[in-house]
């Protein structure tokens, strides 16, 4: 099978994001995040992961951060620890 046929089959089989229904409205605010929403961030103590954790916490998610600390740093998640509520943040 040639590359162009494979690409056209992939495109035909993949649904467009325009066809997906919008997220339902939430009473928790403009972000649309329900209070029970949880997020698991692997590599959460790295540069990108720590910023993702901060963003998710600011939007009301309960965040579980998993990192083996080989390249991550505890300093990267220090702000998450201080700004999170007691039941919205967990580091593993």
């Amino acid at each position: 099978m040639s590359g162009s046929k494979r690409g056209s089959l992939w495109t035909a089989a993949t649904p467009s994001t325009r066809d997906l229904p919008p997220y339902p409205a939430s009473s928790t605010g403009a972000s649309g995040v329900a209070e029970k929403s949880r997020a698991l961030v692997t590599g959460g103590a790295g540069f990108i992961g720590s910023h993702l954790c901060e963003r998710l916490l600011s939007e009301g998610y309960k965040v579980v951060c998993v990192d083996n600390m080989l390249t991550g740093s505890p300093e990267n998640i220090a702000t998450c620890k201080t700004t999170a509520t007691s039941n919205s943040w967990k580091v593993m």
Side-chain angles (χ1 to χ4, degrees), residues 66-79:
V66 179
D67 202 302
N68 61 8
M69 298 296 184
L70 288 177
T71 58
S73 171
E75 290 83 26
N76 289 343
I77 55 174
T79 57

Side-chain angles (χ1 to χ4, degrees), residues 10-53:
W10 173 258
T11 305
T14 307
S16 171
T17 55
R18 287 177 271 150
D19 299 332
L20 298 175
Y23 289 107
S26 172
S27 61
T28 59
S31 68
V33 176
E35 189 173 329
K36 294 182 182 178
S37 295
R38 289 182 238 162
L40 170 67
V41 179
T42 57
F47 179 77
I48 296 172
S50 62
H51 285 87
L52 179 59
C53 289

